Amino acid sequence: MPKITINEKELEFTQGQTVIQVAREHGIDIPHFCWHPSLSVSGNCRICLVEIEKMPKLVIACATLAADGMVVKANSEKTLDARRAVMEFLLINHPLDCPICDEAGECKLQDYAYDHSVGESRFKEEKTHKPKRVAVGPNVMLDNERCILCSRCIRFCDEVVKEPQLLFTKRGDRVTLTTYPGKELDNNYAMNTIDLCPVGALTSRDFRFKARVWELSSTKSFCTGCARGCNDEIWVRNNIIMRLTPRFNKEVNNYWMCDHGRLNTFKYVNDETRVSLPQIRKDNVYETVAWPEAYKETLSILKKYSKNQIAFIGSPYATCEDNYIFAKFAKDMGVANLDFQRHFDPEFGDELLRRDDITPNSKGAELAGIRNGVGGFDIEGIINNIKDGKIKVVYLIDDDILSYRPELDEVFNKLDFLIVHASNFNKTSEKANIIFPSSTYAEKNGTMINFEGRIQRLRPAVSVMEKDRSLDLMTVSRMDKFGTDFDRWANKNRKDALSTWKIIANMMNSVGHKYKYDMAENVFNEMVNIIPELDGLDYDIIGDSGINIKSIAEKLHKV
C-alpha cells in the first residue's frame, strides 16, 4: 500500500483519500470547520492548512489528495502561524456572547480559539452586525452574527436530504445565511444542521436556553421512533431528559437522525401523565395499591376464566426481554391467544432513514415468541373473538392500541377485564381494570431488533426506584403533615416503575413459580440458550453499535 508521513509518522492509506482523511483514520487531529466526512469538500474555512514538503505554499488538508511518499507537517511553525491568522480573521466580527450561547462547551470555535488563537484582537472598529434570533424553521433558530460561513448546513440540505433550503446571500463581510425565498428549513432532518454547525449559529428551538452541556450526563442509546433504530445519545439533567442527539453508526444511521425522533420520542418520559404506582379500578375510580395487591388481583382474574377466554397482547415497543418473559408467562398460564399489533404509517417513511414501520422492535417481538400458539388466534382473530364475546380478558403490555386504532374503542368495551402495563396514562389504559406502571426505554436495560435484523442495546439514562413496593403509611403521613398531595408527588417523582419482565417475574414468584432473574441480562442469557438466532451473543458482544443477526430476515420471512 502507498504510504504518507504526517507529523513524522509513516502511515498507510488508500488511493483517493485526502490528507485530512488519512490523518483522521490514524488518530491525528487536523483542525477543521467546513470539512465533514459525509459531505462534499468546500475548502472555505482554511483552518486545515498544512505544510507539505516540496510544495511552494501551504495547502488545505481537506482537498489535497494523499500521495505516496508525501511528507506533511501539520504542526510546523509556518502552519501554526497560518492557523492563528485564520482564527484572528474568523473572530474579527464574531460576537462575544459565549456566556449565553447554547453551543458553549461543544463549540469548535471556542476550542480552536483556546488552542490556536493569540488570545486578543487587533481589530478595534465596530463589528459587523447581522440578523439575530431568526426562526428559519419550526425547529431551528439562526444567529447570523455567529455564522463562520462553513456551508455545512447548506451542503447537508443539498446533498443528504436533497431539499435545497439554505443559501448564502450578499458578498464580503456582509455574507448572510438565509433560506430560499418563500421557503423555510422544515425538512424531516432539519435539526441535523444544528449538530453540523461548528459554532452556535444554528440552535434548537426546543432545547434553547434550557441547560448548559456541562450540566448534562449522556447515555448511549437508540431512537425508538421507527424500525430504523438510529443510534443516539440521551442527555439528562436532574433526572429529566433534555435532548437527544444522533450518534454515529455507519451501519444504521450514519451521522443523522430525523426531527421526529429527536423531539417526539422522549418527552413522554418526563411527562406528568406517568403512571407512578399500580392502579386498580373500583367503582369506576382508580385506587393506588401496593404491588402485591395488584399481583394478587391479576392472578385471581386470570384463574377465573378458561384459557380460551383470555388473550395476551405483546408489544413492538417493549424490549426483547419484556416480550420473551411475557410469552413465557402466557405459555405457563396455558394461553395460546398471543400476538402483538403492528403499526405502519405509509406517510412517515422516506428514502433516507425513516421507515413505514413506526415501531422499534417488531422483529424482536416475533423472535421473542410473541405469536399465537397451537389453536390460538393472531391479533385480528383476538379482536374478532372479543367482538363475538368469546374472549373476555385481555392482558396487554406497553402499547396504546386505541390511539392507533380508535375503531376498537367499542370492541374493548365488551371485555370483562383489561390488564395493561403502561408508562403513561393513555386511551387504552382508560379502559383498564388494572394498570401496572412500566418503565420506559430510557429507564431500563434491554435489547431491540431493527428492520434489518440488527440487535441493539438500551441502557438506563433516567433512574427509577425499581423496587417492588408501595409507599408505607409513615411516608404518606409525613407527606400529609407537610401538605404534599400524594398523587401529585407520585406522578412528579415517578419512582415506582418496573420493566415489564420484572413485573411478571415478581408476580409469578409471589405464587411460587421460579422466575429467578435479577436483571435484564439474566433474561437475555436465557434467551440466548433457547433462541438459535441469538446463539453466542451477550450484552458485551452487542456493544454500543449493535450487531446484525443475518438469519433473522430469513427465519421470519419478513424484510
Side-chain angles (χ1 to χ4, degrees), residues 22-93:
V22 178
R24 183 172 183 265
E25 192 175 89
H26 291 87
I28 298 173
D29 179 50
I30 295 179
H32 57 278
F33 286 118
C34 66
W35 180 78
H36 188 276
S38 286
L39 299 177
S40 63
V41 174
S42 64
N44 58 347
C45 75
R46 319 308 286 183
I47 196 69
C48 69
L49 285 167
V50 295
E51 183 179 1
I52 297 179
E53 286 187 1
K54 299 180 181 179
M55 286 194 176
K57 58 182 181 180
L58 300 179
V59 298
I60 51 176
C62 66
T64 303
L65 290 175
D68 192 23
M70 182 180 280
V71 178
V72 179
K73 299 175 183 179
N75 292 317
S76 67
E77 191 57 40
K78 188 176 180 181
T79 300
L80 294 177
D81 283 343
R83 203 168 287 161
R84 283 190 286 267
V86 171
M87 285 301 303
E88 185 177 19
F89 175 75
L90 290 173
L91 292 170
I92 282 176
N93 285 311

Side-chain angles (χ1 to χ4, degrees), residues 199-235:
V199 292
L202 295 170
T203 53
S204 166
R205 295 179 68 177
D206 181 71
F207 179 67
R208 189 173 165 83
F209 300 139
K210 286 186 177 178
R212 309 316 298 264
V213 65
W214 53 84
E215 299 173 329
L216 305 174
S217 63
S218 66
T219 302
K220 294 176 181 178
S221 188
F222 59 87
C223 176
T224 58
C226 78
R228 171 73 60 177
C230 294
N231 286 206
D232 65 13
E233 289 194 76
I234 303 174
W235 297 82

Side-chain angles (χ1 to χ4, degrees), residues 118-185:
V118 295
E120 61 181 276
S121 175
R122 293 178 290 174
F123 188 77
K124 304 301 181 184
E125 287 75 14
E126 178 73 14
K127 291 178 181 285
T128 298
H129 295 289
K130 297 179 182 179
K132 299 178 75 69
R133 297 177 296 280
V134 179
V136 290
N139 301 320
V140 182
M141 188 74 76
L142 169 63
D143 186 324
N144 255 304
E145 288 187 351
R146 299 175 187 166
C147 179
I148 62 170
L149 310 177
C150 72
S151 77
R152 279 182 168 192
C153 54
I154 295 174
R155 284 176 283 145
F156 172 77
C157 292
D158 292 354
E159 300 166 9
V160 179
V161 187
K162 303 190 186 306
E163 289 188 38
Q165 294 176 325
L166 296 173
L167 78 160
F168 289 137
T169 60
K170 303 182 182 178
R171 296 175 65 84
D173 65 352
R174 298 295 192 272
V175 174
T176 303
L177 178 67
T178 187
T179 58
Y180 278 95
K183 289 189 176 183
E184 60 178 353
L185 184 59

